[in-house]
Amino acid sequence: MEQGRIIKVAGPLVVAEGLVESKMYDLVRVGDEGLMGEIIEMRGDRASIQVYEETEGLGPGDPVVSTGAPLSVELGPGMLEQVYDGVQRPLDVLQAQAGAFIARGLSAPALDRERLWAFEPRVKPGDAVAGGDVIGVVQENVVIEHRIMVPPGLAGEIVEVREGEHTVTDVVARLRAADGTVHDLTMMQVWPVRVPRPYREKVSAAEPLVTGTRVIDTFFPVVKGGVACIPGPFGAGKTVTQHQIAKWSNAEIVVFIGCGERGNEMTDVLMEFPELTDPYSGQPLMKRTVLVANTSNMPVAAREASVYTGITMAEYFRDMGYNVVLQADSTSRWAEAMREISGRLEEMPGDEGFPAYLGTRLASFYERAGKVRALGSDGREGSVTVVGSVSPPGGDLSEPVVQNTLRVVKVFWALQDQLAFQRHFPAIDWLTSYSLYLDKVTPFWAERVSPEFRARRDEAMAILQREAELAEIVRLVGVEALSPEERVLMETAKSIREDFLQQNAFRDDDQFSSLAEQDALLRVILLFRDKALEALSRGASLEAIFSAPVRERIARAKYLSAEDLAEFEAIASEIETQLVGGEEEEPASVYAGGER
Amino acid sequence: MREYMTTREIVGPLLLIDSVVDVTYGELVELEYPDGTRSLGNVLEVNGSVALVQAFEGTRGSNPAGTKAKFLGRPLELGVSRDMLGRVFDGLGRPIDGGPEIIPEKRLPIHGSPINPTARDFPDDFIQTGISAIDGLNPLVRGQKLPIFSGSGLPHNELAAQIARQSAVLVRSDRPDVVGEKMEGEFAVVFAAMGITFEDAEFFKNEFRTTSAIERAVLFLNLADDPAVERIATPRMALTAAEHLAYECDMHVLVILTDMTYYCEALREVSAARKEVPGRRGYPGYLYTDLATIYERAGRIKGKHGSITQVPILSMPDDDKTHPIPDLTGYITEGQIILDRNLHRRGIYPPVAVLPSLSRLKQKGIGPGKTREDHADLSNQLFGAYARGLQAKELAVILGEAALSETDKAFVAFADAFEDRFIRQGKHEERSVAETLSIGWELAALLPRSELKRIKDEYVEKYLPSQEG
Ligand SMILES: Nc1ncnc2c1ncn2[C@@H]1O[C@H](COP(=O)(O)OP(=O)(O)OP(=O)(O)O)[C@@H](O)[C@H]1O
Ligand SMILES: [Mg+2]
């Protein structure tokens, strides 16, 4: 425990001298209050320290004590349902200590030291184990079984196992390594946040993460273990979209990082998630959720750390064999935190004042996503999907954070303010967004949704693209210039936009669509188009076609629930009768299937 | 007392002072210049024995040789008390209304501390401002921060004053189809002026005086000819007072901060003098974080009766919403009310540009019990219809009226009526939500019924005025 002295204070950055034995990224305690800080630069015996708490009142001469260990998180039972700040301090404990406002110099362990967990061993003395092997489990809550693993790097023979109620620091097993040393194993691991947790190998990810948001699942899907970004100007819907994914996606664990955003948005999650039921487990959503809340008014250095804190916890659940979704809202605020610290270090600035290493930091963060075969002999697989929002100044996508992010992510959900102004939500622009996972998920779709789903999706996309071209003509010369077939296409596009793409996150009957519903909905929309063209060729008027009463039913079909799939069939046959008229040839066959 | 005569350099509002001992970051400094001028300042950086101090009241009259700097060993504070109500202070919290000094209940550092997110209570009480463009479409909620984005010459002051005058909370209604009664006398107003003109400040003072709201108001005034750097402290003074009134005196406080643009310019001035790497348009890279430490001081706290609702006003340079000040504000606040020069030119007050305006907390503040069951659907429908009407109008400009379909014509007529009857209202006209909603329904009746897709059928049945004839 080396002690040095402050020689300089500039906002969140403190420079201290006398820390000769300390290392980069060591955690230090600053000032008499012992504020948390981290060494981020060393020159001779001078260490630059970013301080995770407000530095007002610090001055030259104040002590700095190195802990000799890097900034780390505690991993073990008790993380779920918690809200942490950017350096993993449990916010509810801080509130109990200091009240409604966050005071300085508080500290509290991330995992409750008193709480007892029932440890059920999965190994017995004599078993040979290695890093990643599951030595026992704890039923952390009704939903999640917490698997206690041998920490990476350790291997040997189990010499003792202690079943029963234990705290996270109690010894639950002992292991004798090859060199004869005996190691105590507890239910808690400590891991440095800036070091990715090891795994056996990365594996290719091809299973879609079903989010329940139609424009995402059908048009721009992400896979379990994939990386997506969601850039957009303020108020375009980044946070709402991320909350939707946190609520309804079929991941087993959700880690949500509020990185430099609003306090109320965190409160919203805290108040809402315990009340909402996870459609997959039937339990409150909060049971699978971990929150990291370092809001915009909380110290900027802790904001910088928050994404690492979050992703390390995500990796740990991945290592247990879970599919984890990690969301960072917003990565721009993280980048700005880096910029601010870099500015105080007087580093050479790159684009728009961001440090030159912005690109590599972003890339190595997103690189921690992926589907992996975890350490451990059972070959279990887990994944971390990363979804980051980006908040470009003025909505300008050419700025450095967006550009550097686009280099590494595979899915781009571009939010457009014009759509948001028209209250077309989610305001994901279908013309510029993309997903590079489309071909990967197609086999899954073919097997689990329907063989035609991909084709339908592509067709709908083509219609939307054609609409954009035709809209240009309409703008210049009016709708009369279009052929009747083109008018049908325009109406179909409108129906895709309004009846399929638009999805109200605040309507209980709209916020979640299963893939089966999405497929069925797209089917009836395209079926209407087919039958409209048929009717047209038989001489029906456009007016008659467009005013068919069934269109009203199509418009409301998105509010149907998963149990109502048969309804779509009824709509399909109504399309037949209304557009094809008396000559119902084989109405039911037009809409084949429906149960899945 | 540590007093130094060791100023080495003076650059703009900054002083570099040598050979200081035991100085801390953020410490308050009393400066005295050779000509007797005094200024408060605070420490921006301390490096060994050198302190960088920003002078809130400027450096005019200073010179390196004759400047005295006294380090006070504490940060800039405000003495707070309930007795601040009804009083007028300068931008640094000193009384300027000729009244007695405030005897503080306590002294608080003006930077405040962040609210612990777990301690927040979600804002969900609808505030009736009596203004349809706000209540109907972009409702304000108690504890929200909802700025007005304006431009020079637009009536943001009138709008802010009208909000301050009319704001009231409604009693919860136990019927989904009936709006609750208005509760009187709910709000205290804390008003912070940064760099606005004497005339604008007088306008607000008079507004508060004539409505006798002045007894429930606290004013902090830094006017156009007051020192610019002082503006950096002014909103924090105001919010420190507001927090005391809200969380210690159980009051609901409405904070009006105007004009945030001048605040940001003061920040830019200091940043430039420090030769920091500038971000967009010369504003410092930490502008977002700095603004957040102001705006995030709105909210509600569990277990506390009071609340802080913020209505910051900012003028957009060149009416440009992508300028860093409105842009970063929009990224922090919970929506924005945007004023539109076109509507203003056409004589429509309040000239609220409805489409790009947004209240993000709206879904929490409206609906059965809070306002009325049909509120959300109706407002979605009005938005959609107005957007479509404006699009059709654009089309008509290029192709002529004749090119529009019958439906499009209905939407055009709707858009005009909407601006004229829904958005437009008197500066002293207070509409209840129920009135606002009925105007909305009358306008919805101008559209073909099949177009009312965003409203649940049962509400259309219940609330759509029956067509005569
Ligand atoms: N799917 C949706 N359904 C309904 N409304 C939505 C939807 N998405 C967004 N909105 C509306 O848009 C508003 C802004 O969305 P959101 O808060 O997600 O924006 P944002 O992009 O995160 O903005 P910021 O960058 O400022 O945080 C919401 O409050 C809501 O009114
Ligand atoms: Mg957001």
Side-chain angles (χ1 to χ4, degrees):
Chain A
M1 289 270 223
E2 200 183 14
Q3 176 157 341
R5 303 234 148 246
I6 292 183
I7 52 171
K8 174 178 173 181
V9 188
L13 186 84
V14 161
V15 180
E17 61 182 6
L19 294 175
V20 269
E21 276 152 40
S22 300
K23 302 177 297 297
M24 276 292 274
Y25 303 119
D26 274 359
L27 192 70
V28 295
R29 295 283 174 181
V30 181
D32 298 324
E33 290 167 297
L35 309 184
M36 275 175 93
E38 183 186 10
I39 298 179
I40 53 169
E41 190 182 84
M42 299 208 70
R43 287 171 199 253
D45 74 336
R46 290 194 170 187
S48 295
I49 296 158
Q50 61 175 354
V51 183
Y52 297 129
E53 300 179 63
E54 173 57 49
T55 52
E56 193 167 271
L58 291 179
D62 285 344
V64 177
V65 181
S66 172
T67 64
L71 175 68
S72 300
V73 286
E74 295 182 354
L75 303 166
M79 283 150 60
L80 294 167
E81 299 174 68
Q82 254 305 340
V83 205
Y84 294 111
D85 75 354
V87 288
Q88 215 203 11
R89 295 185 301 177
L91 286 171
D92 56 343
V93 179
L94 299 195
Q95 189 189 347
Q97 289 177 6
F101 294 87
I102 300 179
R104 300 197 317 172
L106 299 175
S107 67
L111 300 180
D112 190 336
R113 292 292 189 272
E114 318 275 286
R115 184 154 173 194
L116 293 171
W117 300 97
F119 174 75
E120 263 180 60
R122 289 286 185 270
V123 290
K124 48 187 193 317
D127 288 354
V129 293
D133 279 337
V134 175
I135 55 165
V137 299
V138 166
Q139 195 64 41
E140 180 161 350
N141 61 37
V142 284
V143 189
I144 301 298
E145 177 189 84
H146 197 112
R147 295 166 193 150
I148 309 297
M149 297 169 287
V150 177
L154 270 187
E157 185 191 323
I158 293 288
V159 290
E160 191 188 342
V161 190
R162 299 179 187 165
E163 182 166 358
E165 303 264 312
H166 296 285
T167 67
V168 289
T169 47
D170 289 346
V171 175
V172 293
R174 285 150 64 85
L175 171 156
R176 185 167 43 236
D179 65 3
T181 49
V182 174
H183 297 265
D184 290 341
L185 301 182
T186 65
M187 288 189 276
M188 178 173 92
Q189 298 188 18
V190 177
W191 193 264
V193 296
R194 297 186 196 274
V195 181
R197 284 178 61 84
Y199 45 81
R200 189 169 289 186
E201 61 185 337
K202 277 214 168 160
V203 294
S204 164
E207 188 188 326
L209 178 82
V210 180
T211 67
T213 297
R214 293 184 289 269
V215 59
I216 292 179
D217 292 347
T218 299
F219 287 96
F220 310 109
V222 62
V223 293
K224 288 179 176 166
V227 277
C229 76
I230 170 162
F234 65 80
K238 297 179 290 296
T239 305
V240 172
T241 305
Q242 288 191 306
H243 281 189
Q244 289 305 100
I245 297 173
K247 285 174 186 169
W248 310 123
S249 69
N250 61 352
E252 285 135 348
I253 303 283
V254 172
V255 179
F256 196 102
I257 311 169
C259 175
E261 290 289 314
R262 301 173 184 81
N264 277 333
E265 289 173 347
M266 289 289 126
T267 313
D268 193 20
V269 173
L270 280 175
M271 299 183 81
E272 199 181 4
F273 277 35
E275 308 292 320
L276 291 173
T277 309
D278 175 358
Y280 300 96
S281 72
Q283 294 293 329
L285 276 175
M286 200 62 202
K287 300 240 179 263
R288 65 168 194 184
T289 308
V290 185
L291 292 176
V292 178
N294 211 96
T295 57
S296 56
N297 55 338
M298 285 159 77
V300 65
R303 188 201 297 170
E304 193 275 333
S306 67
V307 299
Y308 296 104
T309 295
I311 199 149
T312 309
M313 292 194 282
E315 286 173 337
Y316 173 69
F317 283 107
R318 171 204 70 190
D319 294 345
M320 288 183 216
Y322 289 116
N323 293 301
V324 185
V325 170
L326 173 116
Q327 315 216 48
D329 183 16
S330 154
T331 59
S332 294
R333 307 304 166 215
W334 168 45
E336 284 165 15
M338 273 190 253
R339 174 169 69 187
E340 180 163 353
I341 306 287
S342 159
R344 305 277 184 208
L345 284 172
E346 290 165 20
E347 291 175 339
M348 192 61 172
D351 273 359
E352 299 208 10
F354 285 106
Y357 46 77
L358 173 70
T360 44
R361 289 276 168 93
L362 279 167
S364 48
F365 168 68
Y366 280 105
E367 194 53 29
R368 290 174 76 168
K371 180 170 178 179
V372 305
R373 184 157 299 116
L375 294 184
S377 50
D378 59 358
R380 63 185 181 277
E381 293 181 340
S383 68
V384 174
T385 309
V386 173
V387 178
S389 72
V390 193
S391 317
D396 168 11
L397 297 184
S398 70
E399 61 87 47
V401 184
V402 174
Q403 286 304 314
N404 281 297
T405 303
L406 286 180
R407 280 193 209 145
V408 288
V409 301
K410 299 279 191 287
V411 181
F412 173 53
W413 296 315
L415 293 175
Q416 233 219 30
D417 53 355
Q418 289 305 324
L419 291 173
F421 296 167
Q422 293 160 28
R423 302 315 193 247
H424 172 111
F425 288 121
I428 295 179
D429 180 5
W430 51 91
L431 296 176
T432 51
S433 300
Y434 60 78
S435 164
L436 300 181
Y437 297 122
L438 210 46
D439 292 337
K440 286 205 162 169
V441 302
T442 304
F444 179 96
W445 281 351
E447 193 185 317
R448 308 279 281 274
V449 187
S450 88
E452 297 88 40
F453 188 49
R454 173 68 196 263
R456 269 190 207 109
R457 179 254 171 227
D458 288 352
E459 196 173 356
M461 197 61 209
I463 291 172
L464 290 169
Q465 255 150 14
R466 183 81 183 120
E467 179 198 32
E469 295 159 20
L470 292 178
E472 204 46 45
I473 300 178
V474 173
R475 212 166 290 138
L476 293 173
V477 285
V479 74
E480 268 67 51
L482 301 185
S483 70
E485 288 74 20
E486 287 168 337
R487 296 280 300 276
V488 170
L489 182 137
M490 293 296 275
E491 282 293 313
T492 310
K494 179 165 178 257
S495 172
I496 297 172
R497 282 188 285 112
E498 293 181 0
D499 308 333
F500 189 87
L501 295 179
Q502 285 187 11
Q503 189 169 4
N504 188 338
F506 304 108
R507 258 185 88 146
D508 293 344
D509 53 2
D510 197 19
Q511 52 194 4
F512 175 82
S513 277
S514 66
L515 287 181
E517 286 170 87
Q518 299 184 29
D519 180 43
L521 186 53
L522 209 49
R523 255 179 201 206
V524 294
I525 291 171
L526 293 176
L527 178 70
F528 183 89
R529 193 270 319 256
D530 293 343
K531 295 297 154 187
L533 289 174
E534 241 175 73
L536 197 63
S537 68
R538 293 183 204 185
S541 76
L542 282 175
E543 182 144 307
I545 293 172
F546 294 161
S547 58
V550 70
R551 298 195 71 203
E552 183 68 26
R553 280 189 83 180
I554 298 176
R556 294 189 181 269
K558 61 177 161 188
Y559 305 127
L560 294 171
S561 72
E563 296 85 61
D564 301 332
L565 280 180
E567 272 289 302
F568 287 97
E569 206 150 351
I571 295 174
S573 61
E574 208 171 295
I575 292 175
E576 284 283 332
T577 34
Q578 287 181 15
L579 292 194
V580 189
E583 15 172 2
E584 274 170 71
E585 286 140 349
E586 38 190 298
S589 71
V590 177
Y591 180 82
E595 80 294 344
R596 50 188 45 90
Chain B
M1 278 313 145
R2 291 159 298 139
E3 217 176 274
Y4 300 92
M5 294 277 291
T6 47
T7 300
R8 184 207 312 169
E9 233 178 272
I10 303 169
V11 182
L14 303 181
L15 297 92
L16 212 53
I17 304 171
D18 278 335
S19 319
V20 298
V21 182
D22 282 345
V23 163
T24 64
Y25 174 68
E27 186 171 349
L28 187 64
V29 187
E30 240 172 47
L31 299 163
E32 193 184 328
Y33 304 143
D35 66 352
T37 318
R38 287 166 176 275
S39 170
L40 286 177
N42 73 346
V43 177
L44 289 186
E45 187 175 311
V46 42
N47 190 354
S49 59
V50 183
L52 179 70
V53 172
Q54 78 178 345
F56 287 119
E57 291 151 283
T59 46
R60 184 170 311 139
S62 67
N63 94 8
T67 295
K68 250 191 257 169
K70 197 153 112 191
F71 290 80
L72 301 182
R74 56 180 160 87
L76 184 54
E77 293 169 330
L78 178 71
V80 291
S81 150
R82 201 193 173 92
D83 298 336
M84 298 178 95
L85 288 169
R87 300 293 306 274
V88 185
F89 302 89
D90 74 359
L92 286 175
R94 296 168 294 213
I96 48 169
D97 54 1
E101 289 290 320
I102 297 290
I103 300 163
E105 288 160 31
K106 50 179 141 173
R107 303 194 62 83
L108 300 172
I110 64 163
H111 284 284
S113 302
I115 302 179
N116 187 327
T118 59
R120 282 184 186 266
D121 207 353
F122 203 85
D124 61 357
D125 295 315
F126 176 80
I127 296 176
Q128 178 176 293
T129 65
I131 299 162
S132 296
I134 297 177
D135 294 355
L137 301 170
N138 295 300
L140 176 65
V141 174
R142 200 150 66 180
Q144 184 173 13
K145 38 194 180 291
L146 187 63
I148 300 176
F149 287 9
S150 186
S152 46
L154 296 180
H156 44 264
N157 290 342
E158 284 83 350
L159 183 61
Q162 193 172 6
I163 294 173
R165 192 169 60 234
Q166 296 179 174
S167 283
V169 175
L170 306 179
V171 179
R172 296 243 161 173
S173 161
D174 45 18
R175 286 187 48 186
D177 54 345
V178 176
V179 180
E181 290 292 309
K182 179 174 152 179
M183 290 194 265
E184 296 291 338
E186 272 286 310
F187 283 95
V189 175
V190 172
F191 178 84
M194 284 91 68
I196 66 171
T197 61
F198 174 77
E199 215 173 312
D200 286 345
E202 281 304 297
F203 165 80
F204 279 103
K205 272 201 233 165
N206 281 332
E207 272 291 328
F208 294 143
R209 243 181 244 127
T210 50
T211 56
S212 72
I214 193 90
E215 283 115 68
R216 297 182 65 79
V218 188
L219 280 65
F220 292 88
L221 304 180
N222 165 286
L223 302 185
D225 56 355
D226 288 333
V229 177
E230 183 181 291
R231 276 163 217 165
I232 295 175
T234 308
R236 299 189 164 86
M237 292 277 164
L239 287 162
T240 304
E243 280 169 355
H244 182 73
L245 296 175
Y247 306 131
E248 302 300 326
C249 308
D250 290 341
M251 306 178 91
H252 294 294
V253 186
L254 180 69
V255 179
I256 297 176
L257 306 169
T258 182
D259 179 329
M260 289 305 292
T261 300
Y262 299 126
Y263 168 84
C264 295
E265 283 171 1
L267 216 57
R268 178 171 65 177
E269 190 181 324
V270 173
S271 172
R274 288 182 78 176
K275 301 195 174 57
E276 291 172 333
V277 180
R280 293 211 162 190
R281 309 225 193 165
Y283 289 91
Y286 48 79
L287 184 59
Y288 172 86
T289 303
D290 186 276
L291 286 173
T293 60
I294 294 178
Y295 298 141
E296 277 289 320
R297 289 172 83 173
R300 289 173 63 196
I301 290 179
K302 282 182 203 145
K304 305 260 186 201
H305 178 262
S307 62
I308 295 180
T309 308
Q310 273 189 36
V311 179
I313 298 173
L314 58 89
S315 43
M316 297 182 277
D318 279 335
D319 292 350
D320 176 9
K321 195 168 68 113
T322 66
H323 184 282
I325 299 171
D327 188 51
L328 295 178
T329 297
Y331 271 123
I332 303 164
T333 53
E334 285 140 352
Q336 66 281 338
I337 303 291
I338 300 188
L339 301 190
D340 180 68
R341 204 166 288 281
N342 253 315
L343 286 174
H344 178 62
R345 283 204 193 105
R346 282 160 43 212
I348 293 174
Y349 173 89
V352 175
V354 164
L355 299 182
S357 295
L358 169 72
S359 165
R360 302 186 193 210
L361 303 186
K362 117 177 176 192
Q363 52 279 342
K364 307 280 175 179
I366 62 175
K370 295 171 180 168
T371 56
R372 216 170 67 186
E373 55 189 353
D374 55 319
H375 193 157
D377 283 9
L378 178 65
S379 93
N380 275 337
Q381 187 66 61
L382 294 174
F383 265 120
Y386 182 55
R388 185 152 167 209
L390 291 186
Q391 268 175 4
K393 274 175 116 169
E394 251 175 57
L395 210 65
V397 170
I398 304 169
L399 302 168
E401 284 274 340
L404 297 184
S405 68
E406 283 312 308
T407 324
D408 279 343
K409 282 183 192 151
F411 277 100
V412 170
F414 169 88
D416 289 335
F418 179 79
E419 288 175 0
D420 192 48
R421 292 173 50 202
F422 194 91
I423 300 183
R424 186 203 295 279
Q425 80 181 74
K427 290 182 180 156
H428 288 270
E429 178 185 355
E430 183 177 342
R431 293 186 191 150
S432 69
V433 206
E435 284 171 276
T436 291
L437 294 177
S438 13
I439 299 174
W441 280 107
E442 283 164 28
L443 294 168
L446 298 173
L447 299 170
R449 185 162 167 177
S450 60
E451 291 293 336
L452 302 181
K453 282 193 199 167
R454 303 197 189 185
I455 312 182
K456 282 205 184 105
D457 278 336
E458 53 168 310
Y459 300 148
V460 177
E461 297 294 333
K462 199 159 161 187
Y463 296 102
L464 189 70
S466 54
Q467 248 87 7
E468 60 272 41

